[in-house]
Amino acid sequence: MTVTAESTQAPVATMPRIGDPAPSFTAVTTQGDLTFPADYAGKWVILFSHPADFTPVCTSEFMTFASMQDEFKAYNTELVGLSVDGLYSHIAWLRTIKDKIVFRDMKDVEVTFPLIDDVSMAIAQQYGMIMPGEDSTKAVRAVFVIDPQGVIRTIIYYPLSLGRNFDEILRVVKGLQTADAFEVATPADWRPGDRVIVPPAGSCGTAKERMDGEVEGVECVDWFFCTKEISADEVEGRIRVS
């Protein structure tokens, strides 16, 4: 008799990966119906999830996102939030934030970007935002940065207890846009005005030419590690839209 072994582990949830097209969906939001990502064609989008309405860490994050909304828009980037709460809970929570909550120097904060109703958890499951080891009924703090072609370019996950670093999220947007605009890579802790990594030899001179200092503006410490300067003004002039 043949015995077939069965796994006792929970099935692994699928999730999109960097370089994949962002999974499409339609949803009801606090700003009306949404078809994603089609409604944002030509724009960068930050799609992010939070565990639950009327919770303190999420409240601090929404106030921060809302306060930075114009700053993200200046880089052609829109915000879309999601949790597995319903539309009326979302509306009541956002009204409470505006009417009652003070956090740091922020008060009277109005959230005008869409917040998705995902009571069924269908979208959260589609994007791998539900991680049973953390919580089986709440989304973790996921961040998906999606480019104007609808391709996922960055994924960041935080546990329920840890609020996000918003300076880093904005830095990611600027770094991705800079890499695209100038065909470069950005080193650790890069910010506009820092030196950037130039492409491999062949697209910017041969390795020998670069090592010998024959490629203008390029400095090499070894054949594989070459940088050049792009000023903050040049970066901002190329990627900033307003």
Side-chain angles (χ1 to χ4, degrees):
M1 181 177 65
T2 301
V3 178
T4 303
E6 295 184 1
S7 172
T8 58
Q9 294 181 340
V12 177
T14 59
M15 59 174 284
R17 295 169 293 187
I18 291 173
D20 288 349
S24 60
F25 60 84
T26 57
V28 175
T29 83
T30 52
Q31 299 295 317
D33 293 342
L34 174 67
T35 300
F36 192 89
D39 286 350
Y40 295 95
K43 295 181 178 295
W44 291 78
V45 187
I46 295 172
L47 173 65
F48 68 97
S49 58
H50 70 278
D53 298 344
F54 293 101
T55 55
V57 177
C58 300
T59 296
S60 71
E61 292 188 319
F62 261 72
M63 294 179 75
T64 305
F65 259 134
S67 296
M68 295 178 65
Q69 184 173 3
D70 287 344
E71 193 168 1
F72 282 106
K73 281 181 177 291
Y75 297 93
N76 193 33
T77 302
E78 301 291 335
L79 305 174
V80 180
L82 175 149
S83 80
V84 298
D85 300 288
L87 183 63
Y88 295 112
S89 172
H90 287 341
I91 292 170
W93 177 47
L94 299 185
R95 184 180 298 123
T96 300
I97 288 175
K98 185 178 189 306
D99 292 346
K100 296 183 178 181
I101 306 300
V102 177
F103 173 60
R104 294 179 178 154
D105 59 347
M106 295 177 285
K107 63 180 179 179
D108 192 33
V109 173
E110 184 171 7
V111 176
T112 59
F113 56 81
L115 175 51
I116 293 169
D117 171 341
D118 190 29
V119 172
S120 70
M121 298 194 294
I123 300 168
Q125 294 283 8
Q126 186 179 21
Y127 273 80
M129 295 168 172
I130 305 295
M131 297 194 173
E134 180 75 357
D135 196 299
S136 61
T137 60
K138 294 183 176 70
V140 294
R141 303 182 196 282
V143 179
F144 289 82
V145 181
I146 299 163
D147 72 16
Q149 289 72 48
V151 175
I152 296 171
R153 299 292 297 278
T154 298
I155 303 172
I156 308 172
Y157 281 97
Y158 299 80
L160 274 61
S161 61
L162 180 64
R164 284 167 263 230
N165 183 313
F166 288 83
D167 288 339
E168 171 62 8
I169 295 171
L170 182 58
R171 190 190 77 92
V172 166
V173 169
K174 292 181 181 182
L176 291 171
Q177 294 183 4
T178 298
D180 288 358
F182 294 92
E183 298 183 345
V184 295
T186 54
D189 295 328
W190 175 90
R191 294 184 182 277
D194 294 343
R195 297 184 71 86
V196 297
I197 305 293
V198 300
S203 54
C204 188
T206 66
K208 183 177 186 305
E209 287 171 338
R210 298 200 305 184
M211 286 298 294
D212 290 345
E214 296 175 9
V215 180
E216 184 178 358
V218 175
E219 296 180 3
C220 296
V221 295
D222 209 326
W223 63 268
F224 66 93
F225 197 99
C226 299
T227 66
K228 68 178 180 180
E229 181 178 350
I230 303 177
S231 71
D233 287 345
E234 189 176 359
V235 168
E236 294 289 342
R238 185 76 69 87
I239 68 174
R240 191 178 177 94
V241 296
S242 63

